Amino acid sequence: MSNSTRSAALLLFIATLVLCVYSAAEVKVTTDTSYKYLDLVLQWAPGSCYNFKYCKKKIPNTWTIHGLWPSVNYTNYPVNCAGSCAPDIAGLPGDLVTKMEKKWPDFYLDQDHEGNEKFWKHEWCKHGTCCTDLLSSPRNYFNKALSLYDTISLDNTLKSAGITPNDTVSYTFSALNKTLTSSLGVSAFRYWCKEGEKQVLTRVGVCVEKSNEFSWQDCPGGEFEDECNQEKEFYLMPGSAAAAVFFNSGLVFVVLARILMLI
């Protein structure tokens, strides 16, 4: 058996295992458009790509947007509320697309090379179509997410508190909570981590009121997949720690990458 065949077989096994674990999680998704708040999810590419082999060679070294998700709670949220969905990404204003390319990039490998456009379509169709009572179009949805992202300014907020990328220095969640509370005026946030020898921070969720004011609110709390253990310290990995490794394993590799994104 060749090395590429072994790699493909291993990736297929892992993909199947991930699917089984994800299917077992108590997550309720529905096309019911009722929701209670919006979850602005920001992602840290060096953390997401740490010790994984499904990222592009060049990844952002700043916090970027994953999505803006209407939610009932952490494990109950509406999805795909429009049924068929084909947003005209090409018709978006050029300045908006330029901002999204920088602040909302897709850093996962993609065999069909649609990249950012495919990612943006996914987020609008899966999540944006469920909050059209507040954000009636893809343009409005993307603009609002960008505006909220700019308001948080997470890179600068963390840097000012001394929380900077470092694979040898860890930080406490009490320090992270204090920093975000001081900046945003709310006290409960949502954190995703990757466990291993180190607990690596991958995403931060900041919750937004369901209103035309789009004010920050405390996140509701509760368990969810890949949540951080806030009793332990975390690492904010630098880009140099997320070395990209490529396998010639075709579609199986890309399927694994997309499965691991989960949402």
Side-chain angles (χ1 to χ4, degrees):
M1 184 182 290
S2 68
N3 288 336
S4 62
T5 302
R6 289 192 185 96
S7 297
L10 177 60
L11 288 168
L12 181 59
F13 170 77
I14 296 173
T16 303
L17 180 62
V18 171
L19 273 176
C20 291
V21 171
Y22 185 60
S23 297
E26 294 183 3
V27 175
K28 180 181 178 182
V29 295
T30 175
T31 54
D32 179 355
T33 57
S34 60
Y35 64 98
K36 294 183 177 180
Y37 67 96
L38 297 160
D39 194 350
L40 178 68
V41 180
L42 307 183
Q43 56 188 354
W44 180 248
S48 298
C49 297
Y50 178 64
N51 277 350
F52 281 87
K53 304 164 184 176
Y54 56 89
C55 293
K56 296 175 181 177
K57 187 174 183 180
K58 185 177 181 180
I59 60 174
N61 200 32
T62 59
W63 285 93
T64 58
I65 301 170
H66 187 102
L68 183 61
W69 304 342
S71 304
V72 176
N73 54 48
Y74 291 164
T75 57
N76 185 348
Y77 44 86
V79 297
N80 301 320
C81 297
S84 61
C85 180
D88 180 19
I89 300 298
L92 293 174
D95 60 337
L96 174 56
V97 172
T98 298
K99 292 177 184 177
M100 291 170 65
E101 286 174 342
K102 179 180 180 181
K103 301 174 182 180
W104 202 329
D106 178 16
F107 49 78
Y108 293 97
L109 289 174
D110 191 347
Q111 183 161 301
D112 55 20
H113 304 295
E114 291 186 38
N116 289 338
E117 185 171 328
K118 183 175 183 179
F119 181 33
W120 300 335
K121 286 180 180 178
H122 168 83
E123 290 300 311
W124 164 254
C125 291
K126 185 170 184 178
H127 301 287
T129 58
C130 299
C131 54
T132 53
D133 56 325
L134 293 179
L135 302 167
S136 60
S137 68
R139 180 175 180 175
N140 291 341
Y141 174 77
F142 296 135
N143 266 320
K144 179 52 64 177
L146 288 165
S147 174
L148 293 169
Y149 168 88
D150 287 342
T151 300
I152 294 175
S153 189
L154 190 55
D155 292 286
N156 291 331
T157 298
L158 296 184
K159 183 178 180 180
S160 67
I163 301 175
T164 58
N166 195 313
D167 58 358
T168 61
V169 176
S170 59
Y171 306 97
T172 65
F173 281 97
S174 61
L176 179 56
N177 282 326
K178 182 179 179 180
T179 298
L180 293 179
T181 296
S182 176
S183 174
L184 303 176
V186 292
S187 58
F189 309 94
R190 187 180 183 187
Y191 304 120
W192 287 258
C193 284
K194 183 181 296 182
E195 283 285 356
E197 293 182 5
K198 301 175 178 179
Q199 179 170 236
V200 174
L201 186 65
T202 60
R203 296 180 187 173
V204 170
V206 183
C207 296
V208 183
E209 289 182 359
K210 180 185 177 181
S211 74
N212 289 322
E213 304 301 322
F214 294 98
S215 301
W216 306 119
Q217 70 164 58
D218 285 339
C219 291
E223 297 181 354
F224 59 95
E225 189 168 4
D226 296 329
E227 68 174 310
C228 301
N229 179 354
Q230 296 192 35
E231 299 300 315
K232 296 173 58 177
E233 295 189 352
F234 70 91
Y235 289 82
L236 187 65
M237 303 304 287
S240 58
V245 179
F246 298 91
F247 284 106
N248 183 23
S249 54
L251 182 60
V252 174
F253 180 80
V254 177
V255 168
L256 174 61
R258 291 298 167 182
I259 289 171
L260 289 171
M261 285 180 67
L262 297 182
I263 295 179

mmCIF file of all heavy atoms in Angstrom, residues 12-51:
data_model
loop_
_atom_site.group_PDB
_atom_site.id
_atom_site.type_symbol
_atom_site.label_atom_id
_atom_site.label_comp_id
_atom_site.label_asym_id
_atom_site.label_seq_id
_atom_site.Cartn_x
_atom_site.Cartn_y
_atom_site.Cartn_z
ATOM 1 N N LEU A 12 -10.002 8.897 5.943
ATOM 2 C CA LEU A 12 -11.374 8.429 5.831
ATOM 3 C C LEU A 12 -11.851 7.865 7.161
ATOM 4 O O LEU A 12 -12.983 8.116 7.596
ATOM 5 C CB LEU A 12 -11.480 7.354 4.736
ATOM 6 C CG LEU A 12 -12.885 6.785 4.497
ATOM 7 C CD1 LEU A 12 -13.849 7.904 4.115
ATOM 8 C CD2 LEU A 12 -12.844 5.717 3.404
ATOM 9 N N PHE A 13 -10.978 7.132 7.846
ATOM 10 C CA PHE A 13 -11.329 6.586 9.154
ATOM 11 C C PHE A 13 -11.606 7.702 10.149
ATOM 12 O O PHE A 13 -12.586 7.684 10.884
ATOM 13 C CB PHE A 13 -10.196 5.690 9.660
ATOM 14 C CG PHE A 13 -10.353 5.277 11.104
ATOM 15 C CD1 PHE A 13 -11.256 4.286 11.459
ATOM 16 C CD2 PHE A 13 -9.613 5.899 12.102
ATOM 17 C CE1 PHE A 13 -11.413 3.914 12.791
ATOM 18 C CE2 PHE A 13 -9.759 5.531 13.427
ATOM 19 C CZ PHE A 13 -10.666 4.535 13.772
ATOM 20 N N ILE A 14 -10.715 8.706 10.167
ATOM 21 C CA ILE A 14 -10.891 9.824 11.098
ATOM 22 C C ILE A 14 -12.163 10.585 10.782
ATOM 23 O O ILE A 14 -12.910 10.992 11.677
ATOM 24 C CB ILE A 14 -9.671 10.762 11.050
ATOM 25 C CG1 ILE A 14 -8.418 10.029 11.534
ATOM 26 C CG2 ILE A 14 -9.893 12.004 11.904
ATOM 27 C CD1 ILE A 14 -7.143 10.819 11.355
ATOM 28 N N ALA A 15 -12.439 10.790 9.497
ATOM 29 C CA ALA A 15 -13.655 11.498 9.103
ATOM 30 C C ALA A 15 -14.888 10.767 9.584
ATOM 31 O O ALA A 15 -15.841 11.366 10.095
ATOM 32 C CB ALA A 15 -13.694 11.649 7.578
ATOM 33 N N THR A 16 -14.885 9.438 9.454
ATOM 34 C CA THR A 16 -16.016 8.635 9.919
ATOM 35 C C THR A 16 -16.176 8.751 11.420
ATOM 36 O O THR A 16 -17.288 8.887 11.950
ATOM 37 C CB THR A 16 -15.816 7.159 9.527
ATOM 38 O OG1 THR A 16 -15.646 7.074 8.112
ATOM 39 C CG2 THR A 16 -17.019 6.322 9.951
ATOM 40 N N LEU A 17 -15.046 8.714 12.132
ATOM 41 C CA LEU A 17 -15.084 8.841 13.588
ATOM 42 C C LEU A 17 -15.631 10.183 14.016
ATOM 43 O O LEU A 17 -16.467 10.271 14.921
ATOM 44 C CB LEU A 17 -13.673 8.644 14.152
ATOM 45 C CG LEU A 17 -13.522 8.743 15.677
ATOM 46 C CD1 LEU A 17 -14.337 7.652 16.349
ATOM 47 C CD2 LEU A 17 -12.045 8.621 16.066
ATOM 48 N N VAL A 18 -15.185 11.255 13.356
ATOM 49 C CA VAL A 18 -15.673 12.595 13.686
ATOM 50 C C VAL A 18 -17.169 12.699 13.445
ATOM 51 O O VAL A 18 -17.915 13.280 14.236
ATOM 52 C CB VAL A 18 -14.917 13.665 12.874
ATOM 53 C CG1 VAL A 18 -15.556 15.036 13.049
ATOM 54 C CG2 VAL A 18 -13.462 13.719 13.312
ATOM 55 N N LEU A 19 -17.634 12.132 12.339
ATOM 56 C CA LEU A 19 -19.065 12.146 12.050
ATOM 57 C C LEU A 19 -19.857 11.451 13.143
ATOM 58 O O LEU A 19 -20.923 11.914 13.555
ATOM 59 C CB LEU A 19 -19.334 11.467 10.702
ATOM 60 C CG LEU A 19 -19.235 12.350 9.463
ATOM 61 C CD1 LEU A 19 -19.426 11.501 8.205
ATOM 62 C CD2 LEU A 19 -20.263 13.462 9.503
ATOM 63 N N CYS A 20 -19.343 10.331 13.620
ATOM 64 C CA CYS A 20 -20.042 9.595 14.664
ATOM 65 C C CYS A 20 -20.128 10.403 15.950
ATOM 66 O O CYS A 20 -21.169 10.463 16.596
ATOM 67 C CB CYS A 20 -19.329 8.268 14.939
ATOM 68 S SG CYS A 20 -19.460 7.078 13.586
ATOM 69 N N VAL A 21 -18.999 11.037 16.307
ATOM 70 C CA VAL A 21 -18.986 11.855 17.520
ATOM 71 C C VAL A 21 -19.937 13.026 17.385
ATOM 72 O O VAL A 21 -20.708 13.347 18.282
ATOM 73 C CB VAL A 21 -17.556 12.362 17.805
ATOM 74 C CG1 VAL A 21 -17.557 13.388 18.926
ATOM 75 C CG2 VAL A 21 -16.647 11.186 18.140
ATOM 76 N N TYR A 22 -19.901 13.690 16.234
ATOM 77 C CA TYR A 22 -20.754 14.857 16.028
ATOM 78 C C TYR A 22 -22.219 14.478 16.041
ATOM 79 O O TYR A 22 -23.063 15.175 16.576
ATOM 80 C CB TYR A 22 -20.387 15.521 14.712
ATOM 81 C CG TYR A 22 -21.134 16.815 14.470
ATOM 82 C CD1 TYR A 22 -21.007 17.878 15.352
ATOM 83 C CD2 TYR A 22 -21.960 16.959 13.365
ATOM 84 C CE1 TYR A 22 -21.681 19.071 15.147
ATOM 85 C CE2 TYR A 22 -22.643 18.146 13.155
ATOM 86 C CZ TYR A 22 -22.488 19.191 14.051
ATOM 87 O OH TYR A 22 -23.174 20.360 13.819
ATOM 88 N N SER A 23 -22.544 13.323 15.457
ATOM 89 C CA SER A 23 -23.933 12.877 15.411
ATOM 90 C C SER A 23 -24.448 12.592 16.805
ATOM 91 O O SER A 23 -25.647 12.711 17.075
ATOM 92 C CB SER A 23 -24.048 11.620 14.538
ATOM 93 O OG SER A 23 -23.672 11.912 13.217
ATOM 94 N N ALA A 24 -23.531 12.179 17.702
ATOM 95 C CA ALA A 24 -23.955 11.830 19.050
ATOM 96 C C ALA A 24 -24.158 13.049 19.935
ATOM 97 O O ALA A 24 -24.756 12.970 20.990
ATOM 98 C CB ALA A 24 -22.910 10.910 19.696
ATOM 99 N N ALA A 25 -23.643 14.205 19.525
ATOM 100 C CA ALA A 25 -23.785 15.413 20.333
ATOM 101 C C ALA A 25 -25.251 15.837 20.381
ATOM 102 O O ALA A 25 -25.982 15.715 19.409
ATOM 103 C CB ALA A 25 -22.934 16.531 19.733
ATOM 104 N N GLU A 26 -25.640 16.359 21.535
ATOM 105 C CA GLU A 26 -27.026 16.772 21.706
ATOM 106 C C GLU A 26 -27.211 18.179 21.157
ATOM 107 O O GLU A 26 -27.281 19.157 21.882
ATOM 108 C CB GLU A 26 -27.405 16.696 23.178
ATOM 109 C CG GLU A 26 -27.412 15.266 23.718
ATOM 110 C CD GLU A 26 -27.870 15.217 25.155
ATOM 111 O OE1 GLU A 26 -28.231 16.284 25.710
ATOM 112 O OE2 GLU A 26 -27.879 14.128 25.733
ATOM 113 N N VAL A 27 -27.290 18.264 19.849
ATOM 114 C CA VAL A 27 -27.478 19.535 19.170
ATOM 115 C C VAL A 27 -28.804 19.498 18.433
ATOM 116 O O VAL A 27 -29.096 18.548 17.708
ATOM 117 C CB VAL A 27 -26.327 19.800 18.171
ATOM 118 C CG1 VAL A 27 -26.602 21.074 17.387
ATOM 119 C CG2 VAL A 27 -25.002 19.901 18.907
ATOM 120 N N LYS A 28 -29.596 20.520 18.624
ATOM 121 C CA LYS A 28 -30.894 20.589 17.974
ATOM 122 C C LYS A 28 -30.871 21.710 16.947
ATOM 123 O O LYS A 28 -30.723 22.880 17.300
ATOM 124 C CB LYS A 28 -32.003 20.854 18.995
ATOM 125 C CG LYS A 28 -33.398 20.935 18.367
ATOM 126 C CD LYS A 28 -34.450 21.228 19.411
ATOM 127 C CE LYS A 28 -35.834 21.349 18.769
ATOM 128 N NZ LYS A 28 -36.870 21.684 19.772
ATOM 129 N N VAL A 29 -30.969 21.337 15.675
ATOM 130 C CA VAL A 29 -31.050 22.344 14.624
ATOM 131 C C VAL A 29 -32.415 22.249 13.972
ATOM 132 O O VAL A 29 -33.000 21.175 13.877
ATOM 133 C CB VAL A 29 -29.934 22.157 13.579
ATOM 134 C CG1 VAL A 29 -28.579 22.397 14.210
ATOM 135 C CG2 VAL A 29 -29.979 20.770 12.951
ATOM 136 N N THR A 30 -32.937 23.364 13.519
ATOM 137 C CA THR A 30 -34.293 23.398 13.001
ATOM 138 C C THR A 30 -34.436 24.522 11.986
ATOM 139 O O THR A 30 -33.638 25.465 11.981
ATOM 140 C CB THR A 30 -35.304 23.613 14.152
ATOM 141 O OG1 THR A 30 -36.617 23.772 13.614
ATOM 142 C CG2 THR A 30 -34.948 24.851 14.963
ATOM 143 N N THR A 31 -35.424 24.422 11.130
ATOM 144 C CA THR A 31 -35.726 25.510 10.208
ATOM 145 C C THR A 31 -36.723 26.496 10.814
ATOM 146 O O THR A 31 -37.132 27.452 10.162
ATOM 147 C CB THR A 31 -36.283 24.963 8.883
ATOM 148 O OG1 THR A 31 -37.411 24.116 9.155
ATOM 149 C CG2 THR A 31 -35.230 24.160 8.136
ATOM 150 N N ASP A 32 -37.131 26.253 12.062
ATOM 151 C CA ASP A 32 -37.955 27.208 12.790
ATOM 152 C C ASP A 32 -37.131 28.485 12.977
ATOM 153 O O ASP A 32 -36.035 28.458 13.526
ATOM 154 C CB ASP A 32 -38.336 26.610 14.145
ATOM 155 C CG ASP A 32 -39.186 27.550 14.992
ATOM 156 O OD1 ASP A 32 -39.396 28.708 14.568
ATOM 157 O OD2 ASP A 32 -39.630 27.140 16.069
ATOM 158 N N THR A 33 -37.644 29.597 12.519
ATOM 159 C CA THR A 33 -36.852 30.834 12.517
ATOM 160 C C THR A 33 -36.829 31.559 13.866
ATOM 161 O O THR A 33 -36.261 32.638 13.964
ATOM 162 C CB THR A 33 -37.390 31.810 11.450
ATOM 163 O OG1 THR A 33 -38.778 32.077 11.710
ATOM 164 C CG2 THR A 33 -37.230 31.228 10.064
ATOM 165 N N SER A 34 -37.440 30.986 14.901
ATOM 166 C CA SER A 34 -37.408 31.651 16.202
ATOM 167 C C SER A 34 -36.011 31.532 16.818
ATOM 168 O O SER A 34 -35.356 30.500 16.721
ATOM 169 C CB SER A 34 -38.442 31.023 17.147
ATOM 170 O OG SER A 34 -38.177 29.648 17.345
ATOM 171 N N TYR A 35 -35.556 32.609 17.412
ATOM 172 C CA TYR A 35 -34.266 32.624 18.091
ATOM 173 C C TYR A 35 -34.303 33.721 19.135
ATOM 174 O O TYR A 35 -35.190 34.579 19.137
ATOM 175 C CB TYR A 35 -33.118 32.823 17.097
ATOM 176 C CG TYR A 35 -33.131 34.155 16.367
ATOM 177 C CD1 TYR A 35 -32.334 35.221 16.790
ATOM 178 C CD2 TYR A 35 -33.935 34.356 15.250
ATOM 179 C CE1 TYR A 35 -32.345 36.435 16.129
ATOM 180 C CE2 TYR A 35 -33.951 35.572 14.585
ATOM 181 C CZ TYR A 35 -33.157 36.607 15.024
ATOM 182 O OH TYR A 35 -33.173 37.816 14.373
ATOM 183 N N LYS A 36 -33.303 33.713 20.047
ATOM 184 C CA LYS A 36 -33.311 34.644 21.170
ATOM 185 C C LYS A 36 -32.188 35.677 21.119
ATOM 186 O O LYS A 36 -32.300 36.742 21.736
ATOM 187 C CB LYS A 36 -33.238 33.867 22.485
ATOM 188 C CG LYS A 36 -34.468 33.001 22.753
ATOM 189 C CD LYS A 36 -34.361 32.316 24.107
ATOM 190 C CE LYS A 36 -35.613 31.503 24.412
ATOM 191 N NZ LYS A 36 -35.527 30.821 25.732
ATOM 192 N N TYR A 37 -31.123 35.340 20.433
ATOM 193 C CA TYR A 37 -29.979 36.254 20.365
ATOM 194 C C TYR A 37 -29.123 35.854 19.176
ATOM 195 O O TYR A 37 -29.377 34.835 18.508
ATOM 196 C CB TYR A 37 -29.156 36.193 21.662
ATOM 197 C CG TYR A 37 -28.455 34.870 21.875
ATOM 198 C CD1 TYR A 37 -27.123 34.688 21.502
ATOM 199 C CD2 TYR A 37 -29.126 33.784 22.438
ATOM 200 C CE1 TYR A 37 -26.474 33.473 21.677
ATOM 201 C CE2 TYR A 37 -28.495 32.566 22.617
ATOM 202 C CZ TYR A 37 -27.170 32.415 22.233
ATOM 203 O OH TYR A 37 -26.545 31.209 22.400
ATOM 204 N N LEU A 38 -28.089 36.646 18.901
ATOM 205 C CA LEU A 38 -27.133 36.345 17.841
ATOM 206 C C LEU A 38 -25.768 36.073 18.467
ATOM 207 O O LEU A 38 -25.372 36.756 19.421
ATOM 208 C CB LEU A 38 -27.023 37.520 16.867
ATOM 209 C CG LEU A 38 -28.296 37.879 16.095
ATOM 210 C CD1 LEU A 38 -28.195 39.302 15.569
ATOM 211 C CD2 LEU A 38 -28.517 36.920 14.951
ATOM 212 N N ASP A 39 -25.075 35.093 17.953
ATOM 213 C CA ASP A 39 -23.755 34.732 18.456
ATOM 214 C C ASP A 39 -22.722 35.109 17.393
ATOM 215 O O ASP A 39 -22.658 34.506 16.323
ATOM 216 C CB ASP A 39 -23.715 33.220 18.716
ATOM 217 C CG ASP A 39 -22.520 32.791 19.558
ATOM 218 O OD1 ASP A 39 -21.621 33.619 19.773
ATOM 219 O OD2 ASP A 39 -22.498 31.626 19.999
ATOM 220 N N LEU A 40 -21.936 36.148 17.674
ATOM 221 C CA LEU A 40 -20.850 36.537 16.770
ATOM 222 C C LEU A 40 -19.638 35.683 17.115
ATOM 223 O O LEU A 40 -19.068 35.809 18.192
ATOM 224 C CB LEU A 40 -20.514 38.020 16.926
ATOM 225 C CG LEU A 40 -19.354 38.504 16.049
ATOM 226 C CD1 LEU A 40 -19.732 38.473 14.569
ATOM 227 C CD2 LEU A 40 -18.917 39.911 16.453
ATOM 228 N N VAL A 41 -19.287 34.805 16.191
ATOM 229 C CA VAL A 41 -18.205 33.849 16.444
ATOM 230 C C VAL A 41 -16.950 34.276 15.684
ATOM 231 O O VAL A 41 -16.967 34.383 14.455
ATOM 232 C CB VAL A 41 -18.628 32.430 16.027
ATOM 233 C CG1 VAL A 41 -17.489 31.439 16.301
ATOM 234 C CG2 VAL A 41 -19.895 32.009 16.762
ATOM 235 N N LEU A 42 -15.888 34.529 16.431
ATOM 236 C CA LEU A 42 -14.601 34.911 15.860
ATOM 237 C C LEU A 42 -13.638 33.742 16.006
ATOM 238 O O LEU A 42 -13.701 32.987 16.983
ATOM 239 C CB LEU A 42 -14.042 36.144 16.566
ATOM 240 C CG LEU A 42 -14.985 37.351 16.640
ATOM 241 C CD1 LEU A 42 -14.287 38.532 17.308
ATOM 242 C CD2 LEU A 42 -15.484 37.743 15.259
ATOM 243 N N GLN A 43 -12.753 33.571 15.027
ATOM 244 C CA GLN A 43 -11.860 32.422 15.064
ATOM 245 C C GLN A 43 -10.401 32.845 14.938
ATOM 246 O O GLN A 43 -10.067 33.842 14.293
ATOM 247 C CB GLN A 43 -12.224 31.423 13.971
ATOM 248 C CG GLN A 43 -12.250 31.962 12.566
ATOM 249 C CD GLN A 43 -12.813 30.950 11.575
ATOM 250 O OE1 GLN A 43 -13.091 29.797 11.908
ATOM 251 N NE2 GLN A 43 -12.981 31.368 10.340
ATOM 252 N N TRP A 44 -9.544 32.042 15.575
ATOM 253 C CA TRP A 44 -8.108 32.271 15.564
ATOM 254 C C TRP A 44 -7.471 31.158 14.749
ATOM 255 O O TRP A 44 -7.368 30.021 15.195
ATOM 256 C CB TRP A 44 -7.579 32.290 16.993
ATOM 257 C CG TRP A 44 -6.114 32.510 17.121
ATOM 258 C CD1 TRP A 44 -5.177 31.617 17.555
ATOM 259 C CD2 TRP A 44 -5.392 33.723 16.830
ATOM 260 N NE1 TRP A 44 -3.921 32.179 17.545
ATOM 261 C CE2 TRP A 44 -4.026 33.478 17.105
ATOM 262 C CE3 TRP A 44 -5.769 34.986 16.361
ATOM 263 C CZ2 TRP A 44 -3.035 34.451 16.922
ATOM 264 C CZ3 TRP A 44 -4.785 35.954 16.180
ATOM 265 C CH2 TRP A 44 -3.445 35.687 16.465
ATOM 266 N N ALA A 45 -7.062 31.480 13.517
ATOM 267 C CA ALA A 45 -6.575 30.466 12.588
ATOM 268 C C ALA A 45 -5.381 29.669 13.125
ATOM 269 O O ALA A 45 -5.342 28.441 12.981
ATOM 270 C CB ALA A 45 -6.240 31.097 11.235
ATOM 271 N N PRO A 46 -4.378 30.304 13.748
ATOM 272 C CA PRO A 46 -3.261 29.511 14.265
ATOM 273 C C PRO A 46 -3.688 28.474 15.295
ATOM 274 O O PRO A 46 -3.066 27.409 15.403
ATOM 275 C CB PRO A 46 -2.340 30.568 14.883
ATOM 276 C CG PRO A 46 -2.620 31.809 14.100
ATOM 277 C CD PRO A 46 -4.099 31.757 13.850
ATOM 278 N N GLY A 47 -4.743 28.766 16.055
ATOM 279 C CA GLY A 47 -5.261 27.771 16.997
ATOM 280 C C GLY A 47 -6.050 26.686 16.293
ATOM 281 O O GLY A 47 -5.884 25.493 16.557
ATOM 282 N N SER A 48 -6.908 27.082 15.371
ATOM 283 C CA SER A 48 -7.723 26.114 14.630
ATOM 284 C C SER A 48 -6.848 25.167 13.816
ATOM 285 O O SER A 48 -7.182 23.990 13.640
ATOM 286 C CB SER A 48 -8.700 26.848 13.702
ATOM 287 O OG SER A 48 -9.599 27.648 14.442
ATOM 288 N N CYS A 49 -5.742 25.669 13.301
ATOM 289 C CA CYS A 49 -4.876 24.876 12.428
ATOM 290 C C CYS A 49 -3.744 24.183 13.173
ATOM 291 O O CYS A 49 -2.972 23.446 12.560
ATOM 292 C CB CYS A 49 -4.294 25.762 11.328
ATOM 293 S SG CYS A 49 -5.541 26.450 10.218
ATOM 294 N N TYR A 50 -3.647 24.386 14.470
ATOM 295 C CA TYR A 50 -2.562 23.790 15.241
ATOM 296 C C TYR A 50 -2.713 22.274 15.294
ATOM 297 O O TYR A 50 -3.750 21.741 15.667
ATOM 298 C CB TYR A 50 -2.572 24.365 16.652
ATOM 299 C CG TYR A 50 -1.512 23.784 17.571
ATOM 300 C CD1 TYR A 50 -0.163 23.980 17.308
ATOM 301 C CD2 TYR A 50 -1.872 23.050 18.688
ATOM 302 C CE1 TYR A 50 0.809 23.457 18.142
ATOM 303 C CE2 TYR A 50 -0.910 22.521 19.535
ATOM 304 C CZ TYR A 50 0.429 22.723 19.253
ATOM 305 O OH TYR A 50 1.378 22.197 20.083
ATOM 306 N N ASN A 51 -1.667 21.571 14.886
ATOM 307 C CA ASN A 51 -1.636 20.101 14.870
ATOM 308 C C ASN A 51 -2.675 19.483 13.950
ATOM 309 O O ASN A 51 -3.082 18.337 14.139
ATOM 310 C CB ASN A 51 -1.803 19.536 16.287
ATOM 311 C CG ASN A 51 -0.483 19.508 17.039
ATOM 312 O OD1 ASN A 51 0.580 19.732 16.454
ATOM 313 N ND2 ASN A 51 -0.537 19.250 18.331
#
